[in-house]
Amino acid sequence: MSNYKEFHRRSIDQRDEFWAEQAQLVDWHKPAEQICDFSKPPFVKWFKGGETNLCYNAVDRHAAKRPDDRALVYISTETNEEKVYSFAELQREVERMAAIYQDLGVKRGDRVLIYMPMIAEAAFAMLACARIGAIHSVVFGGFAAGSLATRIDDAKPVLMVSSDAGMRNGKPVPYKHLVDEACKLAEFPPAKVLIVDRGLDKGFPKVESRDVDYAELRAKHIDAKVPVTWLESSEPSYILYTSGTTGKPKGVQRDTGGYTVALAASMKHIFTGGSGETMFSTSDIGWVVGHSYIIYGPLIAGMATIMYEGTPLRPDAGIWWQIVEKYKVSVMFSAPTAVRVLKKQDPAFLKKYDLSSLKHLFLAGEPLDETSHKWIMSELGIPVIDNYWQTETGWPMLAIVRGVEDSKIKLGSPAFPVYGYDLRIFREDGSECGPNEKGIVGIVPPLPPGCLSTVWGQDERFVSTYFSLFTDPVVYSSSDWGIKDENGYHTILGRMDDVINVAGHRLGTREIEEAVQTHPAIAEVAVVGVHDELKGQMPMAFAVVKDASTVDTAEKRAALEKEVMKKVDESLGAIARPARVHFINGLPKTRSGKMLRRSIQALAEGRDAGDLTTIDDPTTLDQIKAALAG
Ligand code: AMP
């Protein structure tokens, strides 16, 4: 048996022993009494009775030993700022932020909603929550007021932390305006909003009784010392919302001890980074990669982490590589979309800088096509590791675990189940697929440390969403189709549900449909994901209007299409905006009234509409074809 196969087998067969060993990578205030409590399946409690703190493991323990070493490098090519924080400096900033929180009445278990651009203060804000046992809910800055309001009402934060504005492509992007709008829309707005004023949006509105200024409070607490709050391993560290099949996003709830151990172990075995090295993840703090591999993972491992505000193409397509050279980045993490974007640029940019520090590049979030995989690997001359996971799992489920064995890379394949995951491919009847047989990616519980412990405030939804497809035996369903070849290499073939993946960002078509439907002219709509060469998928809408006279000329159609797109921008954000809104007289449905989304999607991608035996009105398909052609 290969080293890795044996390592993986042990993680499943000798689960408690394996994870007890991994737990040594973390500092505990009190050791666990039980490694894995799976007495109430599918719920699991890892490192029960143990007490630890994420912030302590990410910051304090390194600051104590290597205070002057680099911890956080903030680079903005938008505002031309660059600032390096040592571990000691990072700890001081986090303590100041924690003191501000306490001043504003935030207590252990309270929620703090963070809606911020990629600035160093966003990292302080997250780590300060972890320090005092408050639960952060970071919302991606690209989400609009409607999405923000939904997340406010679900998490009921006592405090929101935001900024006047972010910058993208040289233009300010308002944040505070959206916070105000969201607070108006929400039923449970926070009592206080803490604003980091970057001076990018001079006249941003202020709400006297609610808004507080970060710079003022930071000055007040400049010498603050805030001890860490030791948390029981299962206490929540954060909530992160993700899209599903319903219109309402789910709050993925993460624990404290299991997550800290999972990240520490992944940094050792998968990403192979340690003290004195630098990691550069090009994601955003609003996504799971940002939580695990911009903020917590690298810092727990004692690495410096790069927080980059900017695009991969400004000032030119060499910017990422310039950063790699300057900070001697050894581990880099990005998404396939970014590689496809870079592939269109002058290859000279990749040769211009000294990239000898780089050990490997990790790509995740969406399928990595073989051509892009091959291209980036040969351009960089280093292993490029495709890895598959979800917001729910918090860390990779499929990857090559290079720290244990440097297995051969298969292009377009995220390779093998990661240790801790008893991942298998299942038929819809719950039996296991054979080699090269397409099935559903499932995990035999317990889910390993680091994975979601429940859906925030909705235990029932945790069970019904993830554990109801396979009940005998009970298996976690990823909702992804996958296949395993005879050598054990996996390939992910796409989602089974109505979730689409736009440039590595997960969007629920139901959410977009609801946003489209807020336009008074729209009676009914179907949104499907359509293949896009750069972004993987793009949403496309097919809408039925209430009054045909609103779309009876090309001009009116164009105007309404724009208005509908604006509605989506306002309620969800531009990332969810449909590439096109087509107007038709009726949507294809089965005789029982179920929307034939797969057929709509197939037509939109120029494929055959598939099985139509149950269709109620076949002429609806002709209308779709005509709309696409015209
Ligand atoms: P998210 O929760 O936003 O990270 O999205 C997770 C989904 O992205 C998964 O369920 C997959 O559909 C897709 N995904 C993530 N990583 C990969 C990968 N390496 N290959 C193919 N699909 C991926």
Side-chain angles (χ1 to χ4, degrees):
M1 203 183 275
S2 71
N3 284 343
Y4 181 65
K5 259 194 185 152
E6 169 58 20
F7 190 77
H8 181 267
R9 192 201 53 73
R10 208 164 70 78
S11 75
I12 306 298
D13 295 351
Q14 285 151 269
R15 183 186 68 201
D16 288 12
E17 202 182 295
F18 179 89
W19 285 110
E21 259 167 45
Q22 305 307 318
Q24 308 282 322
L25 297 166
V26 163
D27 285 10
W28 296 86
H29 177 63
K30 181 169 170 268
E33 288 154 15
Q34 190 182 354
I35 300 299
C36 177
D37 173 6
F38 193 45
S39 56
K40 289 194 190 73
F43 298 90
V44 55
K45 288 191 166 149
W46 284 99
F47 310 109
K48 197 175 165 184
E51 285 177 10
T52 187
N53 183 287
L54 249 180
C55 177
Y56 180 85
N57 278 284
V59 183
D60 298 49
R61 63 171 177 163
H62 307 299
K65 289 193 195 118
R66 305 181 291 118
D68 301 325
D69 277 11
R70 232 183 242 162
L72 184 76
V73 181
Y74 161 60
I75 302 168
S76 174
T77 48
E78 298 287 352
T79 58
N80 292 319
E81 283 168 279
E82 194 158 325
K83 190 155 188 226
V84 178
Y85 296 84
S86 68
F87 276 103
E89 285 164 336
L90 179 60
Q91 182 173 333
R92 273 197 293 277
E93 292 296 351
V94 173
E95 290 195 66
R96 286 167 189 149
M97 186 67 90
I100 296 174
Y101 285 174
Q102 290 176 332
D103 196 352
L104 296 173
V106 179
K107 296 188 185 61
R108 177 178 188 162
D110 283 347
R111 274 77 60 213
V112 174
L113 193 147
I114 298 171
Y115 182 67
M116 291 180 92
M118 287 288 288
I119 54 177
E121 289 80 2
F124 310 156
M126 291 168 75
L127 290 160
C129 283
R131 187 169 197 87
I132 63 168
I135 301 166
H136 60 67
S137 161
V138 182
V139 177
F140 174 57
F143 281 130
S147 301
L148 195 48
T150 315
R151 287 154 176 79
I152 291 174
D153 283 339
D154 194 73
K156 302 186 182 65
V158 298
L159 172 72
M160 259 171 96
V161 189
S162 190
S163 191
D164 57 335
M167 285 273 275
R168 189 147 181 94
N169 274 322
K171 288 193 213 88
V173 184
Y175 274 61
K176 178 59 172 47
H177 277 281
L178 297 185
V179 167
D180 289 353
E181 249 179 77
C183 286
K184 275 189 211 134
L185 290 172
E187 211 179 317
F188 304 99
K192 293 283 172 201
V193 176
L194 177 66
I195 303 294
V196 178
D197 186 357
R198 306 174 74 192
L200 297 176
D201 182 6
K202 292 279 187 276
F204 74 82
K206 292 195 181 85
V207 179
E208 272 309 315
S209 57
R210 190 197 67 193
D211 296 351
V212 280
D213 180 61
Y214 170 70
E216 258 173 45
L217 285 174
R218 181 178 174 275
K220 180 177 165 193
H221 295 288
I222 200 82
D223 298 319
K225 287 271 160 250
V226 178
V228 300
T229 301
W230 298 110
L231 302 180
E232 200 278 332
S233 182
S234 297
E235 281 185 65
S237 55
Y238 68 75
I239 310 168
L240 179 56
Y241 288 88
T242 189
S243 298
T245 44
T246 65
K248 207 165 167 272
K250 294 179 288 269
V252 162
Q253 179 178 321
R254 202 88 64 203
D255 74 352
T256 295
Y259 186 54
T260 314
V261 172
L263 290 185
S266 74
M267 292 308 299
K268 179 176 177 197
H269 305 303
I270 305 174
F271 299 98
T272 72
S275 295
E277 293 182 45
T278 303
M279 180 156 185
F280 180 18
S281 297
T282 69
S283 183
D284 185 284
I285 49 155
W287 307 115
V288 69
V289 177
H291 284 65
S292 295
Y293 297 112
I294 294 176
I295 306 295
Y296 294 116
L299 292 175
I300 287 172
M303 293 178 89
T305 185
I306 292 187
M307 258 188 111
Y308 173 65
E309 181 185 52
T311 75
L313 303 179
R314 258 174 58 103
D316 59 47
I319 182 62
W320 282 2
W321 315 115
Q322 195 183 328
I323 292 173
V324 169
E325 177 183 275
K326 179 164 180 188
Y327 290 100
K328 298 198 170 38
V329 170
S330 63
V331 184
M332 194 164 166
F333 195 135
S334 192
T337 296
V339 172
R340 293 194 289 264
V341 168
L342 290 172
K343 203 163 60 174
K344 294 202 161 194
Q345 312 299 315
D346 183 351
F349 284 119
L350 269 154
K351 301 283 172 235
K352 203 171 150 191
Y353 299 97
D354 175 9
L355 306 182
S356 57
S357 58
L358 209 52
K359 295 192 288 196
H360 34 214
L361 166 68
F362 291 84
L363 297 174
E366 54 178 321
L368 173 61
D369 57 284
E370 282 187 44
T371 323
S372 304
H373 199 172
K374 192 168 170 189
W375 176 79
I376 188 70
M377 204 139 70
S378 75
E379 287 297 317
L380 291 175
I382 52 167
V384 173
I385 312 296
D386 181 5
N387 57 117
Y388 159 79
W389 44 300
Q390 308 181 299
T391 303
E392 286 82 349
T393 66
W395 61 290
M397 299 150 81
L398 289 172
I400 284 178
V401 182
R402 295 194 75 212
V404 178
E405 186 179 330
D406 196 6
S407 319
K408 195 168 172 288
I409 289 170
K410 179 181 170 185
L411 293 179
S413 160
F416 313 122
V418 169
Y419 56 87
Y421 291 95
D422 191 356
L423 183 148
R424 305 180 197 187
I425 310 284
F426 293 92
R427 299 191 185 104
E428 277 170 275
D429 68 4
S431 59
E432 227 183 299
C433 291
N436 299 311
E437 184 187 343
K438 177 180 166 181
I440 299 149
V441 178
I443 305 164
V444 179
L447 295 176
C451 293
L452 82 166
S453 32
T454 187
V455 171
W456 172 255
Q458 299 178 75
D459 283 351
E460 168 23 52
R461 198 166 170 206
F462 171 69
V463 179
S464 65
T465 308
Y466 303 106
F467 295 95
S468 63
L469 183 63
F470 302 116
T471 50
D472 184 24
V474 174
V475 170
Y476 169 89
S477 163
S478 68
S479 295
D480 281 308
W481 294 110
I483 196 163
K484 175 170 92 164
D485 75 8
E486 55 286 345
N487 298 315
Y489 285 86
H490 291 67
T491 306
I492 301 300
L493 304 167
R495 299 279 305 188
M496 318 165 49
D497 54 15
D498 297 324
V499 167
I500 61 174
N501 196 318
V502 181
H505 304 149
R506 187 161 142 190
L507 298 170
T509 51
R510 288 278 304 127
E511 285 170 80
I512 307 176
E513 285 168 5
E514 281 180 21
V516 170
Q517 249 154 352
T518 59
H519 193 290
I522 305 297
E524 204 183 8
V525 62
V527 171
V528 295
V530 179
H531 177 76
D532 179 87
E533 208 178 305
L534 271 189
K535 298 186 170 177
Q537 277 186 308
M538 283 289 282
M540 189 179 279
F542 293 86
V544 179
V545 290
K546 288 179 186 157
D547 174 357
S549 72
T550 53
V551 289
D552 59 4
T553 66
E555 288 75 34
K556 285 187 191 171
R557 278 197 294 278
L560 186 58
E561 178 170 23
K562 262 204 187 135
E563 284 177 27
V564 168
M565 288 180 175
K566 196 159 165 258
K567 279 279 178 203
V568 177
D569 284 7
E570 283 167 3
S571 116
L572 297 173
I575 50 163
R577 183 195 304 160
R580 286 299 315 269
V581 183
H582 295 291
F583 299 103
I584 50 178
N585 296 334
L587 290 163
K589 291 183 186 163
T590 62
R591 280 186 283 278
S592 59
K594 213 166 170 283
M595 188 99 74
L596 287 162
R597 280 167 202 284
R598 300 265 171 262
S599 302
I600 303 175
Q601 186 190 35
L603 291 179
E605 291 185 337
R607 292 181 283 116
D608 188 76
D611 178 13
L612 295 170
T613 41
T614 57
I615 193 164
D616 184 36
D617 176 6
T619 66
T620 50
L621 297 176
D622 301 330
Q623 287 185 41
I624 290 181
K625 282 184 209 156
L628 288 163

